[in-house]
Every structure is written in structure tokens, then in C-alpha cells.
Amino acid sequence: MHFIFKWGSNYSPETVVIQGHSKHQELIESALKSLQFDQTIQVRNRQNERQQKISLDTVEAFTSMGHLSKVYTVDGSIYYYGSTLKQMAAFNQMGFSRINNTTVLNLNQVVNFKAGKNAKLSVFTQSGKEYVVSRHYAQQIKERLN
């Protein structure tokens, strides 16, 4: 079996196209399953201090709390996560992006955005919350949302 890699900008950055002979389909699919990233994080419940895993799909935003982060979920729950915002750069490939000095937002939860004052941006999530994007991150967020 030979692997041929061709790189280009014909597809979105989130897209990878795999083509091959149908006799290799099962082998390739099982290899891809082993490459999938863990989509959960270990958080601390603030009511009972217990550790639990939650899916990143349910996270709306992270806010900074010094050496910890506060996790806001789409259902309104709040947890603590033992990481700083800077350490969450790996979440960018899962749809998260820094929007200001204190917040990382799940862009998959954004339903609308509008320009604000002083080159800032307001984004609105599915839960109805509004987040302010600083002008430093505004252009990057506009590009990722379009």
C-alpha cells in the first residue's frame, strides 16, 4: 500500500479527503478511529467539589480565574477546570478561540455577531448570552465565523 499526500487550499482547514481502493476501506476506517481525539475534559463541580468528565461539545466558554478556569456549559452549569487559558490552545482545532484576555469561546455555539464600538465585536450564542470580542481578536473571529 502506498500513501500519496497532496496539499492545497481547495478545502476548508477542517477538511481532509481520503481516497483509496475499496479493499482498504476497513483498514483505513479503523486507523482513523484510533486517531480521534478525546473530546472530554475533567472538571470539578463547584457545588460538591467532585471530579467529573464533560464533553467539549457542551462547553460554551472558559473564563480565567488565575491558575484555574471557570467552565460555562450550554445548559447553564458552571465548573472549574485546572488549566489556564493559554494552555487551552489545543482546543482551537475543536472550534474554540480566544476572544479577549479573559475568555475562550466555543465558536460552534455562536449563532450571530455584530460590530460594536471601538472595533470590538459582539457575539451571541445559542443560549442567548452575549460575549464581547476585543479588537485584538475581532478580525480573527470574523474570519472563523464566516
Side-chain angles (χ1 to χ4, degrees):
M1 183 177 347
H2 298 287
F3 290 96
I4 301 169
F5 296 96
K6 294 181 180 180
W7 308 105
S9 58
N10 301 344
Y11 302 101
S12 73
E14 293 82 26
T15 303
V16 174
V17 176
I18 299 173
Q19 294 179 328
H21 194 277
S22 58
K23 84 173 195 178
H24 299 297
Q25 181 177 353
E26 192 175 316
L27 174 67
I28 298 300
E29 286 176 349
S30 67
L32 288 175
K33 285 181 184 174
S34 67
L35 290 175
Q36 291 188 0
F37 298 102
D38 186 14
Q39 299 281 317
T40 62
I41 56 172
Q42 184 88 20
V43 295
R44 191 174 78 224
N45 189 321
R46 67 184 197 145
Q47 273 98 15
N48 59 19
E49 296 295 318
R50 291 191 178 170
Q51 298 285 325
Q52 68 186 75
K53 282 190 171 189
I54 62 170
S55 170
L56 282 173
D57 293 336
T58 65
V59 175
E60 181 172 277
F62 295 94
T63 58
S64 177
M65 288 182 45
H67 66 287
L68 290 174
S69 296
K70 197 181 269 191
V71 181
Y72 296 90
T73 61
V74 292
D75 66 2
S77 301
I78 300 173
Y79 301 96
Y80 297 125
Y81 182 54
S83 236
T84 63
L85 297 183
K86 194 177 277 190
Q87 295 168 329
M88 292 183 203
F91 293 166
N92 284 352
Q93 66 188 8
M94 294 172 228
F96 288 83
S97 186
R98 189 102 178 233
I99 61 168
N100 56 45
N101 286 339
T102 61
T103 308
V104 170
L105 183 65
N106 185 351
L107 298 182
N108 298 322
Q109 295 294 326
V110 174
V111 292
N112 200 2
F113 67 92
K114 69 176 183 177
K117 294 182 180 179
N118 300 325
K120 292 182 181 178
L121 190 66
S122 292
V123 294
F124 303 92
T125 61
Q126 293 175 10
S127 66
K129 291 184 183 172
E130 178 182 1
Y131 293 88
V132 177
V133 180
S134 71
R135 56 191 172 130
H136 177 76
Y137 295 100
Q139 186 62 37
Q140 174 189 354
I141 297 301
K142 281 183 197 175
E143 289 171 2
R144 287 190 65 183
L145 290 174
N146 283 329

